[in-house]
Amino acid sequence: MKSNFRWVLLGVFTLLCIFFLSNIRNAFLSTQPDQIRIAIGPDTSIQKISEQLPDSQVLNEKAGLLSVPYGKSWDYIGKTMAIKGIFRATTVPLDHPVISWKYYGYSVKEQIKDFFQGDFGKFRNPYNRKEVAIIQELPTMLLRTSTYFIPGLLLAIVLSMLMAILASLWRRLGALMDGAHAMLVGLPDFFLIVLIQLGAIYATRFLGHFVLLIVQVGDKTPFLIPFLTIALIPSVTIYGTLRVAIVRELAQDYVVTAQAKGLTRGEVLISHVLRNLMLDLLAILPKATTLALASMAVAEAICGIFGLGGFIISPALQSVSSMSVICMTISLIAMAFQVLYALLRKKFVIRTGEVVSR
């Protein structure tokens, strides 16, 4: 019970850290948080405009500067555009960017207040430029991401286990796979995704008609490119771990005894070694899942997919008020897989220890 409580506290602490870190860019200011500049027509004056904007004051009539409540510059720009006689309203740039922990604390406090009021943030849809509540689109984004993330992760597990077994059965094939593994480990995710995209483009050109969807177009979402990316990158990590684990197990005494009794190398691998790899597999799966989530984010950004990862990385989808919700959603997905792996370890991994007699 105490152990479960500690894990719950750790999960809550992790979510809090992610919430604060996802808002860290609010600490970097390039515009005045309490000033706006407006351009007006000849039929009105800045003083009249200020009277229509509560808690605002005229700072410089000639320059069109107005003072507004701290942190409300963007809100007041939206309000001014509804007033007749105003041509343009903009923020006031600073001489140079500064780090303002005051504005960071203000933005975090306002966001927490909105959370308690049921407002989890908004973003501007890149297709119709309308503001949408993130809570409305979150289920759709989660479903879209899951359609290739879960199958890709499952394929990575099955593929890496199969390749590790085949590499242990045939030495030449194992040397070839180990060389390919060493090369893939040194390549960045971005490069691999670009290679997959180029392969899809050349396949389309070679066949003379559309074969694979490269980027998201409306409701049509690419599947093969993020699916292969998610399957490829974690499988490299899992393969390396299982390859080392199989070599370790093949040197154990029970393997030598089994082979002395007439069992072939394949029979030993399938009947004895494979079941002893469960601990190594479940130990590497949390890291592989994290890599899969990172690969998913990069693939969605490159393919322009409106999913959880694409929202975080793509500048067209980012929004200060909803970024932390997306980051915490991805963290909850990772935590859910961690809980699943912990339950699997508890069920399938046999723990041994010395019995102390009294």
Side-chain angles (χ1 to χ4, degrees):
M1 185 64 181
K2 291 182 178 179
S3 177
N4 294 336
F5 183 68
R6 284 198 300 268
W7 283 112
V8 171
L9 287 181
L10 180 61
V12 173
F13 176 75
T14 302
L15 288 176
L16 288 175
C17 290
I18 291 173
F19 171 75
F20 287 113
L21 287 175
S22 62
N23 285 287
I24 195 65
R25 66 176 182 171
N26 292 334
F28 300 90
L29 277 181
S30 58
T31 60
Q32 295 284 358
D34 55 356
Q35 294 180 20
I36 62 174
R37 176 179 283 115
I38 60 175
I40 60 175
D43 299 331
T44 186
S45 65
I46 294 184
Q47 188 62 44
K48 291 181 180 179
I49 299 297
S50 177
E51 292 174 357
Q52 299 180 60
L53 295 173
D55 301 322
S56 66
Q57 295 180 355
V58 178
L59 292 179
N60 189 325
E61 186 171 355
K62 185 176 180 180
L65 291 180
L66 282 179
S67 171
V68 298
Y70 189 84
K72 299 291 186 181
S73 57
W74 285 104
D75 293 339
Y76 272 71
I77 286 176
K79 293 178 181 179
T80 55
M81 298 310 296
I83 300 177
K84 186 178 180 180
I86 294 181
F87 294 153
R88 186 176 65 256
T90 61
T91 55
V92 180
L94 294 168
D95 295 333
H96 53 83
V98 298
I99 298 177
S100 175
W101 294 111
K102 178 183 177 182
Y103 186 73
Y104 173 77
Y106 166 82
S107 61
V108 168
K109 183 177 67 174
E110 288 296 311
Q111 194 169 157
I112 293 175
K113 187 188 301 182
D114 291 339
F115 283 177
F116 281 107
Q117 294 176 355
D119 183 4
F120 292 94
K122 298 179 178 63
F123 69 96
R124 192 174 295 278
N125 192 301
Y127 304 111
N128 54 26
R129 308 306 297 169
K130 293 182 180 179
E131 283 195 351
V132 183
I134 189 65
I135 201 66
Q136 296 178 3
E137 289 293 325
L138 192 58
T140 304
M141 295 164 62
L142 181 60
L143 179 61
R144 181 179 292 119
T145 297
S146 299
T147 53
Y148 40 78
F149 175 74
I150 295 178
L153 184 59
L154 291 175
L155 178 63
I157 297 172
V158 174
L159 185 64
S160 57
M161 291 185 65
L162 180 61
M163 292 177 64
I165 293 173
L166 294 177
S168 301
L169 287 175
W170 295 285
R171 297 184 184 276
R172 291 185 178 179
L173 180 61
L176 181 63
M177 288 185 177
D178 290 343
H181 171 262
M183 181 187 68
L184 291 174
V185 167
L187 293 178
D189 299 358
F190 176 81
F191 183 73
L192 293 175
I193 299 171
V194 171
L195 286 181
I196 296 173
Q197 277 191 317
L198 287 175
I201 293 172
Y202 281 112
T204 300
R205 293 181 60 184
F206 179 76
L207 296 175
H209 61 277
F210 182 80
V211 177
L212 296 174
L213 190 61
I214 307 298
V215 296
Q216 180 172 340
V217 180
D219 294 331
K220 296 182 179 180
T221 304
F223 173 80
L224 190 60
I225 293 176
F227 171 74
L228 291 178
T229 303
I230 293 169
L232 178 62
I233 295 174
S235 64
V236 173
T237 302
I238 300 173
Y239 170 83
T241 300
L242 294 182
R243 190 80 166 92
V244 173
I246 290 176
V247 173
R248 180 198 68 213
E249 291 296 320
L250 289 176
Q252 299 298 318
D253 293 338
Y254 74 89
V255 173
V256 177
T257 303
Q259 289 178 332
K261 290 182 177 181
L263 271 70
T264 64
R265 189 180 181 90
E267 290 174 338
V268 172
L269 281 172
I270 301 299
S271 302
H272 300 284
V273 174
L274 192 59
R275 70 179 66 177
N276 293 331
L277 298 180
M278 187 61 68
L279 179 60
D280 299 277
L281 177 61
L282 292 175
I284 195 59
L285 277 180
K287 181 180 179 181
T289 303
T290 304
L291 288 174
L293 285 170
S295 304
M296 173 268 297
V298 176
E300 286 188 345
I302 293 178
C303 296
I305 300 175
F306 186 28
L308 297 176
F311 189 97
I312 292 177
I313 295 181
S314 177
L317 300 175
Q318 290 181 358
S319 171
V320 175
S321 63
S322 53
M323 179 62 67
S324 57
V325 175
I326 299 296
C327 291
M328 288 190 291
T329 300
I330 295 179
S331 301
L332 287 172
I333 295 174
M335 290 180 186
F337 277 97
Q338 297 286 345
V339 172
L340 175 62
Y341 299 146
L343 293 175
L344 291 176
R345 280 195 295 269
K346 187 175 181 180
K347 183 175 180 61
F348 293 105
V349 177
I350 300 175
R351 299 183 181 276
T352 59
E354 296 182 0
V355 178
V356 180
S357 59
R358 295 184 179 179

